[in-house]
Amino acid sequence: MLKVIIVEDEDLLRDGLSTCVNWEKLGCELAGAAEDGIKALALMEKVSPDVVITDIKMPHMDGIELSEQIREKYPRIKIVIISGYDEFEYARRALKAGVSEYILKPVNLEQLDTVMKSITETILAEREKEREILKLKDMSQQGLGTIRQTLFSKILLRKQSPEELGDLVSQIGEHVNGKYYSVGILEQQNFPIVSIDCDYLEIIEMDRAFEQMVNRCLQDYEVTEEGNHVEILRSSNCERLFCIVHNSAQEVKKIIKDISSLFDVKRDDMEHLQLTFGCVSRELTGLYKSFLNARGSCEKKFLENWSQILHTDGKASSTIQHMNYDAQALFFEVRSGTGEGIASCLEEFRESLSREKIVSYMQIVMIVSNLYFELIKLPEEVGANIQDIIGDPMEAFHRIIEKRKRHEMIEEIGKVCAQIHEYFGSVSGAKMQGVLKRILEYIDTHYMEEDLAMKDAADYAYISVSYLSLILKKEIGKTFIEYLTEVRIEKAKNCLLHTNMKNYEVANACGYSTPAYFSTVFKGVCGVSPSAFRKENQTLS
């Protein structure tokens, strides 16, 4: 039976996982529990677990640091992270730390059962593979490809050095010594995230389909008279390693180019794939060097994806701007447009994802999530609570990101848009007129303030700037600046006709910083300068 330890600082959750799960039924033995990472490491030295289930946020040593130390000291141990939906940064670090699976809070026992079955099958499969390798007693009776695959597997997956594998190397020395190597990693992007809600059979089926796709792409690959120069290794579910070996660096580079063209991610049927080759290196030590180089490039691409998603200001608009998608058009349709307009904007959003080649599942989830959380802020503009409109917003969010395909996610977004649009329609009319009256009164009272801004009026009316702009456009057909200028010029006319104030005094009284600027604006509106207007129309007695 597999040994499991639980690392959780919350007593209730730790005790619940310890007592409420039938570990024996899962083929596991609960070997202990700890309340933080430091105590967990001490416990691991005593019980030698196969699986560690750990929370992310804990005192003294969190789950990420614990995972990194486990990966360094005990690379064979499988790690399961307990994570919340809002902990995407932790998820990124967890992937980098080599976490095997995730359990999302609140912990669902069915999900835990699925995750543990998957890990159990993985561990048992790995052990079976190791036993098979140990059974290979007479290496000379095996084909070159089998021996070479076994050798490459031990170097790349078991991290054994060529010196440790001297007997195996000696069997095929002329075929591996003095050669040039490169290792490519073909993966379904962010598979640990994709597979969170999948059961064991679904994961197996996904990997089987992945395997068939790899075989289909390579079946027409030309094999030279000298033999096959590419060995394929299964490193994990939905990840394969291409080990290229040849007499010259130039030929290795040519094979890299040929294989890369077979897995062109620009093709629709290659969506969600990523193929990364490491540097070209010589000798068997260079094989592992190339692998590390490829793995590092994969991690760099992962971080670049995140930098495109999570900008420094953390706002959805920056992400959507990166996609060349105008989210404000959608928000306008939701506030005051039509159902057809909303549908058209969402179709444009879907097309933007395709145009920008956003194929990473994690990217799509993050972009859709950012759009959703900006969308549900719209009712705040009219003082409404989103929960009164769509119910629990997190339940709606979960329904969106649980969808496996992008069009299904967008359909769920559309349902939320429709609910908020309907609410905006219900609060128009009298309420909008009341808000408009308050805005106009504020402008009429504060027009003389030079730095008067739209935000000041919006704050006074307890609405957002965007909603203020919408009301002015819809009710009086003017922008804020247009209306403010109209008020100021009317006040200026009154001063010019009915007082002895000089032009600079009129300018100052009407909110203009300089007489020259006042004169320019006045002439632009009235067609004549302030002095000419006074001369032509003065009615002072």
Side-chain angles (χ1 to χ4, degrees):
M1 300 181 75
L2 301 182
K3 291 183 179 180
V4 178
I5 67 169
I6 297 169
V7 189
E8 171 59 60
D9 63 319
E10 294 182 21
D11 295 340
L12 185 62
L13 181 53
R14 186 174 64 252
D15 293 340
L17 289 173
S18 300
T19 59
C20 297
V21 178
N22 189 340
W23 294 104
E24 185 176 355
K25 183 179 177 181
L26 295 174
C28 300
E29 169 194 350
L30 184 61
E35 60 189 29
D36 61 53
I38 296 176
K39 294 180 179 179
L41 288 174
L43 178 61
M44 290 169 62
E45 291 182 2
K46 296 179 181 179
V47 301
S48 300
D50 300 291
V51 182
V52 174
I53 300 177
T54 178
D55 192 5
I56 283 184
K57 295 184 178 180
M58 298 182 297
H60 308 307
M61 180 188 290
D62 64 19
I64 300 299
E65 186 177 352
L66 173 62
S67 299
E68 291 170 346
Q69 293 210 26
I70 292 174
R71 188 56 55 223
E72 180 179 353
K73 296 179 180 178
Y74 312 103
R76 296 167 63 87
I77 292 177
K78 304 299 181 185
I79 305 168
V80 179
I81 282 286
I82 301 176
S83 168
Y85 273 103
D86 58 343
E87 297 171 339
F88 287 105
E89 174 61 17
Y90 282 104
R92 179 189 69 76
R93 292 179 58 202
L95 280 175
K96 188 175 180 181
V99 171
S100 301
E101 292 284 355
Y102 291 87
I103 297 177
L104 299 178
K105 289 184 178 180
V107 176
N108 181 290
L109 293 183
E110 291 183 2
Q111 185 186 8
L112 175 61
D113 183 89
T114 299
V115 168
M116 290 308 301
K117 284 181 179 177
S118 173
I119 288 181
T120 298
E121 292 292 339
T122 299
I123 292 175
L124 293 178
E126 289 176 353
R127 290 180 178 178
E128 179 61 25
K129 190 169 184 178
E130 290 176 0
R131 284 193 291 268
E132 290 177 358
I133 293 175
L134 292 175
K135 292 178 182 179
L136 301 177
K137 297 179 180 179
D138 189 1
M139 304 301 293
S140 61
Q141 296 179 0
Q142 300 179 50
L144 170 63
T146 302
I147 300 174
R148 198 163 61 179
Q149 274 199 341
T150 301
L151 176 63
F152 291 171
S153 177
K154 285 180 176 289
I155 292 174
L156 300 182
L157 305 181
R158 305 287 178 247
K159 299 182 180 180
Q160 293 179 258
S161 68
E163 291 75 17
E164 294 176 293
L165 302 170
D167 292 341
L168 190 58
V169 173
S170 65
Q171 299 290 326
I172 55 172
E174 64 179 301
H175 298 286
V176 293
N177 290 328
K179 304 291 184 180
Y180 288 86
Y181 296 92
S182 180
V183 177
I185 301 176
L186 178 70
E187 59 181 334
Q188 179 175 321
Q189 284 191 323
N190 310 308
F191 180 76
I193 302 297
V194 176
S195 61
I196 285 176
D197 296 320
C198 300
D199 59 28
Y200 170 70
L201 292 179
E202 287 176 321
I203 292 174
I204 293 299
E205 183 57 35
M206 290 169 71
D207 188 67
R208 182 181 294 114
F210 186 83
E211 177 81 17
Q212 291 173 349
M213 179 273 299
V214 172
N215 292 336
R216 184 175 64 252
C217 289
L218 291 177
Q219 66 184 359
D220 295 328
Y221 182 68
E222 182 180 357
V223 178
T224 66
E225 294 181 0
E226 299 177 26
N228 184 15
H229 298 289
V230 182
E231 299 294 348
I232 303 173
L233 305 181
R234 181 187 183 279
S235 51
S236 62
N237 285 323
C238 291
E239 181 179 276
R240 298 296 185 269
L241 305 182
F242 296 148
C243 303
I244 301 176
V245 52
H246 208 282
N247 294 324
S248 72
Q250 185 177 357
E251 286 298 325
V252 170
K253 292 178 182 178
K254 181 180 182 301
I255 296 173
I256 290 175
K257 183 178 179 180
D258 291 341
I259 292 181
S260 297
S261 67
L262 296 174
F263 296 92
D264 184 358
V265 296
K266 294 180 181 179
R267 289 166 42 190
D268 292 339
D269 58 340
M270 295 297 170
E271 191 177 75
H272 301 316
L273 290 181
Q274 177 174 284
L275 175 59
T276 306
F277 277 97
C279 57
V280 178
S281 303
R282 198 174 186 187
E283 301 294 352
L284 284 171
T285 53
L287 177 73
Y288 190 64
K289 177 183 177 182
S290 180
F291 169 70
L292 291 179
N293 182 249
R295 185 64 76 192
S297 297
C298 289
E299 293 178 358
K300 182 179 179 181
K301 290 178 181 179
F302 180 88
L303 294 175
E304 287 173 351
N305 285 343
W306 273 81
S307 68
Q308 294 172 359
I309 299 169
L310 300 177
H311 289 254
T312 53
D313 59 4
K315 295 179 181 178
S317 58
S318 57
T319 295
I320 296 168
Q321 183 180 4
H322 170 76
M323 290 171 49
N324 296 318
Y325 174 73
D326 184 8
Q328 295 305 317
L330 172 62
F331 298 158
F332 177 84
E333 292 295 337
V334 170
R335 292 188 191 100
S336 60
T338 63
E340 292 77 9
I342 293 173
S344 176
C345 288
L346 289 176
E347 176 62 20
E348 171 60 23
F349 177 60
R350 186 192 66 77
E351 292 176 355
S352 296
L353 290 174
S354 298
R355 279 198 308 271
E356 301 292 335
K357 297 298 179 183
I358 306 296
V359 297
S360 161
Y361 176 79
M362 181 178 285
Q363 271 192 290
I364 293 171
V365 167
M366 289 301 298
I367 291 171
V368 169
S369 298
N370 284 338
L371 178 60
Y372 171 80
F373 284 114
E374 288 298 308
L375 177 67
I376 63 175
K377 291 178 184 177
L378 297 183
E380 296 175 6
E381 298 175 351
V382 291
N385 188 332
I386 186 62
Q387 192 160 351
D388 296 332
I389 301 172
I390 68 171
D392 184 352
M394 290 310 296
E395 287 186 6
F397 173 61
H398 293 168
R399 285 195 297 271
I400 292 169
I401 66 171
E402 284 170 358
K403 299 301 181 183
R404 308 311 307 165
K405 299 179 180 179
R406 69 177 66 179
H407 75 270
E408 294 175 344
M409 290 184 183
I410 296 173
E411 285 176 3
E412 290 296 326
I413 284 277
K415 294 176 183 178
V416 176
C417 289
Q419 290 175 289
I420 298 176
H421 174 65
E422 183 178 352
Y423 178 80
F424 269 99
S426 69
V427 299
S428 60
K431 184 171 182 178
M432 187 176 287
Q433 286 295 324
V435 174
L436 177 64
K437 181 180 178 182
R438 188 174 177 85
I439 294 169
L440 299 185
E441 288 175 350
Y442 183 83
I443 295 174
D444 194 59
T445 306
H446 295 80
Y447 70 89
M448 72 291 298
E449 297 174 7
E450 179 186 334
D451 58 351
L452 180 63
M454 184 159 51
K455 186 177 185 305
D456 300 322
D459 291 343
Y460 180 75
Y462 302 106
I463 61 174
S464 70
V465 170
S466 56
Y467 191 55
L468 182 150
S469 178
L470 172 67
I471 290 176
L472 291 177
K473 273 288 188 182
K474 187 171 184 179
E475 298 299 321
I476 64 176
K478 293 182 175 67
T479 66
F480 175 81
I481 293 299
E482 288 172 345
Y483 182 75
L484 176 60
T485 299
E486 180 181 286
V487 170
R488 284 175 168 172
I489 295 302
E490 288 302 316
K491 299 294 184 181
K493 286 181 180 179
N494 185 66
C495 290
L496 291 168
L497 296 179
H498 302 292
T499 74
N500 290 320
M501 296 170 65
K502 298 189 180 299
N503 283 1
Y504 74 87
E505 294 175 322
V506 174
N508 186 63
C510 294
Y512 291 101
S513 57
T514 65
Y517 180 55
F518 165 61
S519 180
T520 299
V521 175
F522 191 94
K523 188 172 184 179
V525 174
C526 302
V528 295
S529 67
S531 298
F533 177 83
R534 169 177 273 172
K535 186 175 181 180
E536 294 174 3
N537 300 283
Q538 194 169 34
T539 59
L540 288 174
S541 57

